[in-house]
Amino acid sequence: MIMYRDLVNAFTRLEIPRVTPVIIHSSLSSLGSVNGGARTIVGAILATWSQVLMPAFTYRTMLIPEQGPPNNGLRYGSGKEANRLNTPFHPDLPVDRSVGAVAETLRSLPGSLRSNHPLLSFTGMNVQPFLDAQNLQEPLGPLRLLYEQAGWVILLGVDHTANTSIHLAERLAGRKEFIRWAALPSKVVECYNIPGCADGFLKAASLLEPVTRSVPLGNTWIQALPLKEMIPLLVVRIKRDPFALLCDRPDCERCQAVRTIIRHRSGGH
Ligand SMILES: [Zn+2]
């Protein structure tokens, strides 16, 4: 069983200074048995770093309209069932289960903050400037500021498919983004520049290996990457190969929409 002390020791071995801002992605289930569960993990994180961000995404606020702009990586009219089960965003809406119990535990702690993007909010401690950097036009604003402030990404029992910051590299490389619609209690809002699919991000692992610090924990590994080194490597890769890091599912609407626009751009001129 993983104890609080094991977590603190492992985090300390990453040698990331306490004052360095970090974004942490985690999977409680892949860590195995942790004494005290998500609360213990959050406690160990906050004992190690002073500025901690986590994704607090809530995809169940999303609505799929009957029609909309073309090549938007979405089958319009396909959301009748999901639309019926839609939950409008409010600041206390729990983090999606797919994002993880650790982020939900951080969000519900006294003193934790949360941004108010209806789909892609972030939560954390001592991170107000990062949350303020987000709006409906700039959903990745917190990650951009984290990059500018030389923050680190920490993957706690998850792989690069959970590494949201790779979307910032896609954005900086000029990759196509999407429009989505989300419910607030009183209205539906358009959300711009929503990043695409992360299923192909595992392909970034070998490229990023030279800038990755790894520490074992239980049955898995903690990986940590400095954004100042990670982002430029990815931007160069995507600019060199515009199809890089897309997933291989033939039915992936978002990755196919990205491919369509690349072919259009290269064929058009
Ligand atoms: Zn995909």
Side-chain angles (χ1 to χ4, degrees):
M1 178 176 278
I2 296 171
M3 311 299 286
Y4 176 81
R5 178 172 297 271
D6 302 325
L7 288 158
V8 172
N9 286 344
F11 295 155
T12 305
R13 284 178 60 200
L14 291 171
E15 297 185 335
I16 302 169
R18 177 176 181 75
V19 295
T20 298
V22 293
I23 182 161
I24 302 183
H25 305 277
S26 56
S27 163
L28 183 57
S29 57
S30 69
L31 291 181
S33 185
V34 178
N35 187 32
R39 281 186 163 272
T40 301
I41 297 171
V42 170
I45 289 169
L46 296 177
T48 311
W49 295 288
S50 56
Q51 295 177 84
V52 176
L53 267 175
M54 292 189 195
F57 302 164
T58 48
Y59 298 112
R60 63 198 184 283
T61 65
M62 195 166 89
L63 289 162
I64 299 178
E66 289 298 308
Q67 47 194 319
N71 200 36
N72 190 28
L74 193 63
R75 268 194 306 125
Y76 294 111
S78 68
K80 290 189 174 64
E81 179 68 12
N83 289 354
R84 203 169 54 74
L85 300 171
N86 171 280
T87 310
F89 180 82
H90 59 89
D92 297 322
L93 187 64
V95 178
D96 273 10
R97 265 167 216 255
S98 61
V99 179
V102 177
E104 172 57 14
T105 300
L106 177 65
R107 183 201 68 78
S108 49
L109 277 187
S112 84
L113 304 166
R114 186 193 210 169
S115 60
N116 59 9
H117 193 286
L119 290 171
L120 303 178
S121 66
F122 290 84
T123 188
M125 283 286 181
N126 306 312
V127 289
Q128 191 69 57
F130 300 97
L131 304 185
D132 289 345
Q134 188 182 48
N135 56 50
L136 287 175
Q137 298 286 345
E138 291 291 346
L140 302 182
L143 301 175
R144 183 188 287 261
L145 187 59
L146 197 66
Y147 168 52
E148 289 167 1
Q149 298 205 354
W152 281 62
V153 175
I154 298 171
L155 305 175
L156 193 48
V158 293
D159 61 34
H160 282 295
T161 58
N163 185 354
T164 312
S165 299
I166 295 178
H167 289 307
L168 176 64
E170 293 182 308
R171 176 160 181 67
L172 296 175
R175 179 164 280 177
K176 178 179 174 56
E177 295 169 313
F178 302 95
I179 298 174
R180 292 292 180 265
W181 295 264
L184 297 177
S186 59
K187 62 177 175 179
V188 174
V189 290
E190 279 193 331
C191 305
Y192 305 98
N193 304 320
I194 298 295
C197 161
D199 291 354
F201 286 0
L202 211 52
K203 298 175 183 175
S206 58
L207 173 70
L208 298 177
E209 213 245 289
V211 300
T212 303
R213 288 183 192 169
S214 296
V215 166
L217 178 71
N219 304 324
T220 182
W221 290 82
I222 307 176
Q223 297 183 83
L225 302 97
L227 284 169
K228 276 284 183 210
E229 297 186 58
M230 180 187 113
I231 296 293
L233 280 174
L234 292 165
V235 171
V236 167
R237 167 65 61 93
I238 296 167
K239 283 189 169 171
R240 192 174 292 159
D241 172 13
F243 299 100
L245 309 184
L246 298 175
C247 87
D248 299 318
R249 283 188 290 117
D251 63 341
C252 178
E253 284 141 3
R254 290 174 298 169
C255 288
Q256 293 304 352
V258 172
R259 290 186 178 98
T260 299
I261 199 94
I262 295 167
R263 292 193 183 109
H264 180 77
R265 281 173 185 163
S266 60
H269 301 281

